[in-house]
Amino acid sequence: MGILEKIAEIEREISRTQKNKATEYHLGLLKAKLAKYRAQLLEPSKSSGAKGEGFDVMKSGDARVALIGFPSVGKSTFLSLMTSTESETASYEFTTLTCIPGVIEYKGANIQLLDLPGIIEGAAQGKGRGRQVIAVARTADVVIMMLDSVCTIALLNCPKPNIYFKPKKGGGLSYNSTVPLTHCSEKLVQLILHEYKIFNAEVLFREDSTPDEFIDVIVGNRVHMPCLYVYNKVDQISIEEVDRLARRPNSVVISCGMKLNLDFLLEQLWEYLALICIYTKKRGERPDFSDPIIMRRGASVEHVCHRIHRTLASQFKYALVWGTSTKYSPQRVGLTHIMEHEDVIQIVKK
């Protein structure tokens, strides 16, 4: 029996098993086995064969965004509109057969946009180069899921489970929780760990997590990233439907054909990437607003020093900062001071 048949059999057993107190351990084991088989599907094939065109694209710029979606939803048109890259577009499916990179220039930042081939049913099993698409998407900072406005999809932006898990060489299972648990118990956790041949570990639940979330932590190859759902071709539906889609969480409605709402999409993308602009200033001169330093939200003065030069932090004496992160303008700060968007910094060396 192949992996796909095993997955289908487990999914059928899960669907026909009633969820109650008596079956929670059985369901937990089934979900653990299901996660193991699905992880095997994403592993590269070991069979030798002719090498095809690769998906490797060198990471560049200040952030990376993966553009994925079903065939013929307008991904290539979107890439051509937002960047200077021309991606082949047509009314038929599968015009994009490999990864095509482009660069969005916005607020002084260079955001790398990757147009990936359209995903189809069975992509996780490798259909339609699905494994390569998923592998590239895992390297992105944000995923844009582009959809036709007539499509519907479950919205998934799952945060990383707040569970501490550390395998040990001995000592058995150390199980604790800081909150009351309604989905997991010590026995269920132990059964799931045994399914993965783990008999010694420390487990600490900091939130009321489900068995699926605990399995994600054990597997360790899950990537939790923000996803922005972009509904294209809204010029082809009613205004009531546009309003309904726009009110969905993590969603933006656009029309590449009529160039509608693209500016708002860029604003949302900037927020999802959590980027900020930092301007530098030399003593006795005006700030340089032409060439900002692009950092992640939460960056400190020390991060800014490393971005300017790797030895600057060791020569750092203090910094003067103007902007919303300070009470006074300017304010003398140290390396641990957290910068905010459009702050101005002047660094004084020893």
Side-chain angles (χ1 to χ4, degrees):
M1 184 182 293
I3 294 179
L4 291 176
E5 289 78 12
K6 291 179 180 178
I7 289 176
E9 183 178 347
I10 293 175
E11 288 177 338
R12 284 194 297 269
E13 186 171 353
I14 290 176
S15 64
R16 62 172 176 254
T17 302
Q18 292 184 351
K19 295 181 180 180
N20 53 52
K21 201 71 175 176
T23 62
E24 65 177 8
Y25 302 121
H26 178 60
L27 286 172
L29 283 175
L30 290 176
K31 289 176 179 178
K33 291 180 180 179
L34 186 62
K36 283 175 61 178
Y37 290 135
R38 285 176 173 170
Q40 291 177 23
L41 283 176
L42 294 178
E43 295 176 358
S45 176
K46 296 181 181 179
S47 60
S48 60
K51 292 185 178 180
E53 187 177 1
F55 270 62
D56 290 339
V57 175
M58 182 178 294
K59 197 167 186 177
S60 63
D62 301 295
R64 170 179 277 197
V65 176
L67 181 61
I68 64 176
F70 300 113
S72 296
V73 295
K75 298 189 304 297
S76 299
T77 304
F78 178 76
L79 178 75
S80 300
L81 280 175
M82 306 306 290
T83 72
S84 58
T85 304
E86 290 296 327
S87 182
E88 184 180 355
T89 60
S91 58
Y92 53 86
E93 296 184 348
F94 303 111
T95 52
T96 301
L97 300 176
T98 187
C99 178
I100 300 176
V103 176
I104 300 175
E105 297 179 357
Y106 185 68
K107 292 186 177 180
N110 292 323
I111 302 171
Q112 186 182 45
L113 180 65
L114 303 180
D115 179 16
L116 299 172
I119 56 174
I120 60 175
E121 186 176 355
Q125 289 80 45
K127 294 182 180 179
R129 308 196 78 175
R131 287 178 182 168
Q132 294 98 319
V133 171
I134 293 172
V136 174
R138 287 166 62 95
T139 67
D141 299 299
V142 168
V143 169
I144 289 183
M145 176 73 76
M146 182 160 284
L147 304 162
D148 196 304
S149 57
V150 298
C151 293
T152 58
I153 190 168
L155 301 177
L156 299 174
N157 268 290
C158 300
K160 187 176 181 180
N162 193 1
I163 303 173
Y164 174 77
F165 169 71
K166 182 181 180 181
K168 300 188 299 183
K169 293 183 179 179
L173 174 64
S174 175
Y175 170 87
N176 286 291
S177 65
T178 60
V179 295
L181 300 181
T182 60
H183 305 290
C184 292
S185 64
E186 184 174 1
K187 181 181 178 182
L188 178 57
V189 167
Q190 193 170 38
L191 287 172
I192 293 174
L193 288 173
H194 286 181
E195 180 64 30
Y196 285 89
K197 304 295 188 292
I198 300 173
F199 303 98
N200 306 286
E202 291 182 26
V203 178
L204 174 62
F205 283 79
R206 296 191 180 97
E207 62 183 11
D208 189 14
S209 302
T210 63
D212 298 282
E213 292 172 330
F214 178 59
I215 292 169
D216 285 350
V217 173
I218 297 173
V219 174
N221 65 349
R222 302 292 190 266
V223 177
H224 297 265
M225 64 177 65
C227 179
L228 187 60
Y229 295 90
V230 178
Y231 293 89
N232 189 23
K233 305 179 183 179
V234 294
D235 53 303
Q236 301 177 11
I237 59 176
S238 65
I239 191 65
E240 291 80 14
E241 186 68 11
V242 171
D243 183 67
R244 186 183 68 83
L245 293 175
R247 293 180 183 276
R248 286 184 170 183
N250 310 302
S251 299
V252 177
V253 293
I254 66 167
S255 171
C256 290
M258 299 186 67
K259 300 181 181 179
L260 296 176
N261 215 29
L262 298 178
D263 52 348
F264 178 70
L265 173 57
L266 281 178
E267 292 178 12
Q268 289 295 101
L269 185 59
W270 179 270
E271 289 298 318
Y272 273 65
L273 288 169
L275 298 177
I276 60 173
C277 295
I278 306 297
Y279 301 105
T280 58
K281 179 185 179 301
K282 294 181 179 179
R283 181 180 296 178
E285 298 182 13
R286 296 178 62 85
D288 181 11
F289 294 113
S290 62
D291 187 20
I293 298 174
I294 306 300
M295 305 292 295
R296 297 285 177 173
R297 194 178 300 144
S300 66
V301 172
E302 185 175 7
H303 294 133
V304 176
C305 290
H306 286 305
R307 177 63 66 87
I308 296 172
H309 196 275
R310 64 177 184 272
T311 63
L312 185 56
S314 60
Q315 303 171 8
F316 179 88
K317 185 176 183 181
Y318 65 90
L320 296 176
V321 175
W322 293 256
T324 56
S325 68
T326 60
K327 294 181 179 179
Y328 317 103
S329 290
Q331 181 172 323
R332 181 169 169 165
V333 300
L335 286 172
T336 58
H337 177 77
I338 302 301
M339 305 293 289
E340 293 186 4
H341 183 50
E342 295 186 337
D343 276 357
V344 175
I345 185 171
Q346 175 185 320
I347 297 174
V348 179
K349 296 193 291 185
K350 294 177 182 177

